[in-house]
Amino acid sequence: MELIIRTFDLKLQHTFSISRKSIDIQPTVIVELKCDDISGYGEATSNPYYNITTARIVNDLEKVQTIIAASSDCKPEEFWNTMQPHFTDNLFALCALDVAFTDLYARRKNKKLYQLWNYSIHNNALTDYTIGIDTIEKMVQKMKEKPWPIYKIKLGTTDDLAIVTELRKHTDAIFRIDANCGWSVRQTLENSVSLKKLGVEFLEQPLPADNWDGHAELFKKSALPIVADESCIIETDVLKCHNHFHGVNVKLMKCGGITPAKRMIEQARQLGLKTMVGCMTESTVGISAIAHLLPLLDYVDMDGALLLKEDIAKGVTISNGKIEYADVNGTGVRLH
């Protein structure tokens, strides 16, 4: 099995801002695993918050080429277990490898990934579309540019309620709020009451990730459901979120791939937590993998490729929130 690594700088349509950063270009690494002229693809983006650079991803992947070459006959779970000890400090790189191998495995079985897992895709959730932090006028403009049934609105400013109040004047769409750790307990409780009246469905990660006492208080008192993001990174975090959050947002790159993500979602469902998968600002390579988990999800945020000026791949397509699978096996990805 051959490892092929490519790096890209993904240009965004608009400057994308959240409570802690702004970007115009998203560096990313695409992993291709090739065996018997069949290829599988995975993706890992750089992420300063987690101290992940493309150079670090590439370097860590190159160290395991010999082990990868000898692993072509594994099942995805076995492959992940083999690779995981080599990527304890770089789950983003592990994600790219795991998704590429799982994609390759499904293609070698001549099946789409959701077919390999025996999932029904008839009741898939719609994806939201993210409106990053900007001036109120520009946020309204972005929303008008992309009419959509569900918006995720990034907050964490001094004008959060004013932003949502103004956006609500221009659409009847469902709103989801992501404060990216930018609020206090008091702010969240106060905002939850006002935002519920403005048609908000839930709040995502309002508090810093390690404020577990605060999460417990919000779980009991918030007028809106609270969904964990930064507080739910790896598999052991799911149980911690029980009785602290109403749901969890699992991200493939943060947890180390689609193999552990699937386990996290299944555990969350058993605990009665709402399930969601989110994305990074990433290409259709990563987004297409998420699509095959849709049958397990209550909510999904897989709009990363829609934020790009130019994509680097074809795969799943998204129209007005609805996901259509590519007529290609595995995750459905083809590089341009």
Side-chain angles (χ1 to χ4, degrees):
M1 186 162 57
E2 182 185 2
L3 169 67
I4 302 164
I5 303 171
R6 299 176 179 88
T7 59
F8 298 91
D9 285 331
L10 305 175
K11 296 179 180 178
L12 278 63
Q13 291 186 41
H14 300 284
T15 299
F16 186 73
S17 298
I18 63 174
S19 61
R20 58 177 176 259
K21 68 171 184 175
S22 296
I23 60 169
D24 294 292
I25 293 174
Q26 175 60 64
T28 195
V29 177
I30 302 300
V31 168
E32 177 182 354
L33 292 179
K34 191 171 184 179
C35 187
D36 301 326
D37 291 324
I38 301 173
S39 292
Y41 300 93
E43 180 170 14
T45 62
S46 68
N47 193 303
Y49 184 78
Y50 295 99
N51 194 30
I52 298 293
T53 63
T54 53
R56 187 178 165 199
I57 293 168
V58 171
N59 184 58
D60 287 351
L61 288 168
E62 288 177 341
K63 290 177 182 176
V64 295
Q65 287 189 83
T66 305
I67 304 169
I68 290 170
S71 301
S72 59
D73 293 330
C74 291
K75 292 182 178 179
E77 295 81 4
E78 295 168 342
F79 181 79
W80 190 88
N81 289 335
T82 299
M83 293 300 159
Q84 188 273 336
H86 302 279
F87 293 94
T88 53
D89 295 323
N90 193 343
L91 295 178
F92 281 57
L94 178 59
C95 170
L97 260 188
D98 177 62
V99 171
F101 186 85
T102 305
D103 180 24
L104 173 63
Y105 183 84
R107 292 182 197 231
R108 293 175 79 186
K109 295 289 186 182
N110 203 30
K111 291 185 176 182
K112 295 180 174 68
L113 187 52
Y114 71 80
Q115 293 171 334
L116 185 74
W117 290 336
N118 293 314
Y119 288 167
S120 168
I121 60 171
H122 297 301
N123 295 306
N124 284 354
L126 301 180
T127 182
D128 55 39
Y129 180 81
T130 303
I131 306 295
I133 293 171
D134 211 322
T135 64
I136 294 179
E137 293 75 21
K138 287 184 178 177
M139 291 177 80
V140 170
Q141 181 185 340
K142 288 176 188 176
M143 200 173 65
K144 287 183 173 180
E145 280 178 15
K146 201 81 170 177
W148 212 253
I150 311 167
Y151 291 106
K152 177 190 271 197
I153 302 163
K154 296 285 190 177
L155 296 180
T157 76
T158 54
D159 297 314
D160 286 343
L161 288 179
I163 288 170
V164 182
T165 300
E166 183 59 32
L167 293 181
R168 177 48 76 205
K169 295 176 184 176
H170 301 273
T171 181
D172 293 327
I174 294 167
F175 284 170
R176 297 168 179 169
I177 301 301
D178 186 358
N180 285 111
C181 310
W183 291 348
S184 66
V185 171
R186 181 178 174 182
Q187 277 179 298
T188 306
L189 291 175
E190 291 175 353
N191 288 345
S192 71
V193 175
S194 302
L195 292 171
K196 185 175 183 179
K197 295 174 184 175
L198 289 166
V200 169
E201 186 176 26
F202 62 75
L203 306 177
E204 186 177 334
Q205 197 67 48
L207 307 182
D210 59 355
N211 187 355
W212 291 98
D213 288 342
H215 302 322
E217 186 174 352
L218 295 185
F219 179 75
K220 295 173 184 174
K221 298 179 181 178
S222 173
L224 286 169
I226 310 291
V227 174
D229 181 358
E230 286 85 349
S231 295
C232 190
I233 307 297
I234 58 176
E235 292 183 67
T236 53
D237 292 333
V238 176
L239 187 57
K240 292 182 192 174
C241 290
H242 187 231
N243 291 330
H244 288 80
F245 291 91
H246 302 91
V248 293
N249 181 5
V250 176
K251 292 187 176 173
L252 275 59
M253 289 186 208
K254 293 182 183 181
C255 72
I258 201 163
T259 298
K262 187 165 168 281
R263 292 194 295 250
M264 290 172 74
I265 295 161
E266 289 167 348
Q267 183 185 7
R269 284 160 62 101
Q270 289 170 2
L271 291 169
L273 290 159
K274 292 289 187 181
T275 55
M276 178 176 181
V277 165
C279 64
M280 306 300 190
T281 305
E282 59 191 283
S283 79
T284 288
V285 175
I287 297 302
S288 294
I290 293 170
H292 295 266
L293 292 169
L294 278 167
L296 298 181
L297 306 180
D298 297 298
Y299 317 117
V300 69
D301 171 35
M302 49 182 292
D303 66 338
L306 298 175
L307 306 175
L308 303 180
K309 190 175 288 185
E310 293 178 359
D311 207 338
I312 58 171
K314 291 182 178 179
V316 297
T317 55
I318 303 172
S319 178
N320 201 37
K322 182 176 172 59
I323 291 90
E324 296 287 345
Y325 294 88
D327 191 22
V328 176
N329 287 328
T331 63
V333 166
R334 285 177 174 156
L335 294 185
H336 288 324

